[in-house]
Amino acid sequence: MFKLRQLTTITTPKKYLLLFVSFLFSASLFAQDGKALFTANCASCHSVTKKLTGPALAGVEDRWPSREKLHDWVHNSAKVIQSGDPYAVNLFNEYNKTPMTPFPQLSTKDIDAILDYVKAEAGKAAAATTAPAGETQTAADNGDQTLLYGILTLILAIVAFTLLYINANLKKMADDKEGVPATEPIPFWRNKAYITVFTLILFLIGGYLITDGAVGLGRQQKYEPHQPIFFSHKVHPGVNQINCQYCHIGVYQGKQATIPTVNICMNCHMAINEYKGEKLYNAEGKEVDGTAEIQKLYKYAGFETGKPWDPSKAKPIEWVRIHNLPDHVFFSHAQHVNAGRVQCQTCHGEVTSYNEMFQFAPLSMGWCINCHRTTKVQFESNGFYSMYEKYKEDIRNHKMDSVTVKDIGGAECQKCHY
């Protein structure tokens, strides 16, 4: 009886400890899912604390009457606006009547995870704001603690060398007191211990720098080259509501989205030879003459205003490529946009707000894999996925609520490397 009672006494705390650890672990995973979902679906237009293309998301739940209303807004903002909701209508008008991209693929659990992540990040930002005036917050705001760790490492190294120096002096004093003859100190450059430590430090620093540089090799996020003609996405798909597929005609059929030919540009600009919209500015903040840019197009096209245009005189525009993937990577726009029904903004950001196009996403393998892990496949009315009967049956029987790209092989090496 005593042994049984003792076993129960010992086992019960362990059981509660395991339950507590499991709860913390599951909560951590849930927060991580919220971060991943936010990065994959929201970060192109929203920040937690700053106003970007859309409003800052800190305090978003306080601005809406309920989470259910937020669920409806994320799934289909146009429907909420049409219902006459005052806040939704005002928000739509405030952002130049630019509709929010619908996300019907996100479940209510996904949206709740994003909202919980936003609330947690907003709390961290508020805590950082109310920190003491003398406290440095730059590294914390950016989420990069490298400088802090470097300073701490330097301080610890100085303390270690100071202690070694004190220890050597104490040993010398003790030897002198006991009459032990002192040995000639070994110079620093001949001391094997010092040389070993110094070499190890150089090896670690060099290894870190080389690895960090190698990991980022070939990545060009935020790359924004000057083009032969200033082309504003803000004017074309933004103000004039030109569909992306009108110019990028290959996005549904092939690997490349394709760059529009001069002929496609001239379909509109044979009649439009003057720019009358709002002022245009390049990346350096200099004003751009829109009409002069149209004249550049005419030079490439071999077109003279008032005369019939002969397309055979047109020369291709030498656009500077922005998005580049390594040669060993397979990527198909058709597979993502047509079959997967991925919105252009997911990878390219809110292009309708860009005057000059730039690379929005890092396009790294980790970024792609993370998207595959969190992005849900749109099975409904999508013939491309008709072969996955088991998943469809499981969804109908409520055994699972959704299927991610990872579930259908999106995390396998052969999907992109073969």
Side-chain angles (χ1 to χ4, degrees):
M1 178 66 76
F2 173 76
K3 289 183 179 179
L4 180 61
R5 192 172 298 161
Q6 186 183 39
L7 180 63
T8 306
T9 306
I10 294 172
T11 306
T12 303
K14 287 184 177 179
K15 180 174 69 175
Y16 289 129
L17 179 61
L18 287 172
L19 287 173
F20 180 68
V21 171
S22 300
F23 171 75
L24 289 178
F25 183 69
S26 61
S28 174
L29 285 179
F30 189 72
Q32 184 65 27
D33 288 344
K35 180 179 180 181
L37 288 165
F38 175 86
T39 303
N41 299 282
C42 312
S44 61
C45 302
H46 296 281
S47 167
V48 175
T49 57
K50 298 178 182 178
K51 179 178 177 181
L52 300 179
T53 304
L57 294 186
V60 64
E61 293 185 69
D62 299 331
R63 302 194 291 267
W64 287 87
S66 65
R67 275 201 172 188
E68 288 71 21
K69 202 72 173 178
L70 262 172
H71 295 162
D72 295 339
W73 174 261
V74 174
H75 285 148
N76 190 345
S77 62
K79 187 176 179 180
V80 178
I81 294 168
Q82 290 173 1
S83 69
D85 183 278
Y87 179 72
V89 172
N90 290 335
L91 189 65
F92 180 63
N93 291 330
E94 181 184 350
Y95 286 87
N96 300 320
K97 297 186 176 181
T98 303
M100 174 178 162
T101 304
F103 293 94
Q105 74 274 18
L106 293 178
S107 66
T108 54
K109 290 182 180 178
D110 294 333
I111 299 173
D112 286 340
I114 293 173
L115 292 174
D116 290 339
Y117 166 73
V118 168
K119 186 183 293 185
E121 289 299 303
K124 291 178 185 177
T129 304
T130 56
E135 186 176 339
T136 302
Q137 300 177 16
T138 306
D141 291 341
N142 295 330
D144 185 4
Q145 304 294 334
T146 305
L147 179 61
L148 177 61
Y149 292 149
I151 293 173
L152 289 175
T153 302
L154 181 62
I155 292 172
L156 290 174
I158 293 172
V159 171
F161 280 111
T162 303
L163 291 175
L164 286 172
Y165 179 75
I166 293 172
N167 182 64
N169 283 334
L170 289 174
K171 185 176 183 303
K172 183 178 181 300
M173 290 171 63
D175 289 344
D176 290 343
K177 186 175 181 181
E178 295 177 3
V180 177
T183 57
E184 189 69 23
I186 302 174
F188 174 80
W189 58 88
R190 290 175 54 192
N191 190 311
K192 292 182 179 180
Y194 289 162
I195 293 173
T196 302
V197 172
F198 184 70
T199 303
L200 183 61
I201 291 173
L202 284 180
F203 179 79
L204 291 174
I205 294 174
Y208 170 78
L209 294 175
I210 292 172
T211 303
D212 186 59
V215 167
L217 192 65
R219 295 184 190 173
Q220 48 188 24
Q221 189 178 16
K222 305 296 183 184
Y223 177 52
E224 188 175 356
H226 287 292
Q227 300 291 353
I229 298 177
F230 182 88
F231 180 90
S232 172
H233 279 79
K234 186 176 182 180
V235 170
H236 291 80
V239 176
N240 294 311
Q241 298 289 300
I242 299 173
N243 191 287
C244 300
Q245 283 78 35
Y246 179 76
C247 298
H248 303 289
I249 56 177
V251 73
Y252 271 112
Q253 290 83 23
K255 290 174 60 178
Q256 307 294 336
T258 66
I259 301 298
T261 63
V262 175
N263 296 41
I264 291 178
C265 298
M266 291 300 292
N267 285 342
C268 298
H269 283 287
M270 283 183 67
I272 303 172
N273 55 23
E274 186 179 0
Y275 177 74
K276 299 179 180 179
E278 63 180 37
K279 291 182 178 180
L280 301 173
Y281 298 92
N282 61 19
E284 286 76 29
K286 296 180 181 178
E287 187 174 347
V288 176
D289 185 347
T291 302
E293 298 302 314
I294 296 175
Q295 295 301 318
K296 291 181 183 179
L297 170 64
Y298 288 168
K299 287 185 178 180
Y300 280 100
F303 174 73
E304 295 183 33
T305 306
K307 295 182 180 180
W309 178 48
D310 182 4
S312 64
K313 295 181 180 179
K315 298 183 297 182
I317 303 171
E318 297 176 354
W319 299 106
V320 179
R321 188 183 181 99
I322 299 175
H323 302 87
N324 288 287
L325 291 177
D327 292 340
H328 61 272
V329 176
F330 172 83
F331 176 86
S332 169
H333 275 83
Q335 188 174 3
H336 288 75
V337 178
N338 194 4
R341 298 180 182 175
V342 177
Q343 298 291 324
C344 302
Q345 291 89 340
T346 302
C347 300
H348 297 294
E350 197 61 36
V351 293
T352 55
S353 65
Y354 300 165
N355 265 329
E356 285 190 283
M357 190 66 187
F358 66 93
Q359 182 173 315
F360 166 77
L363 302 183
S364 64
M365 186 173 75
W367 182 80
C368 294
I369 292 294
N370 189 55
C371 184
H372 285 187
R373 287 171 178 160
T374 57
T375 301
K376 291 177 171 52
V377 177
Q378 297 186 40
F379 268 53
E380 290 186 25
S381 64
N382 193 340
F384 184 82
Y385 300 112
S386 59
M387 66 187 80
Y388 296 100
E389 284 299 326
K390 181 182 181 302
Y391 285 135
K392 292 194 173 187
E393 189 67 28
D394 288 344
I395 291 175
R396 282 194 291 267
N397 295 332
H398 303 290
K399 292 183 179 179
M400 57 192 312
D401 60 354
S402 59
V403 177
T404 65
V405 181
K406 180 186 175 185
D407 294 329
I408 58 173
E412 296 176 5
C413 302
Q414 293 85 351
K415 278 287 182 178
C416 304
H417 307 289
Y418 62 85

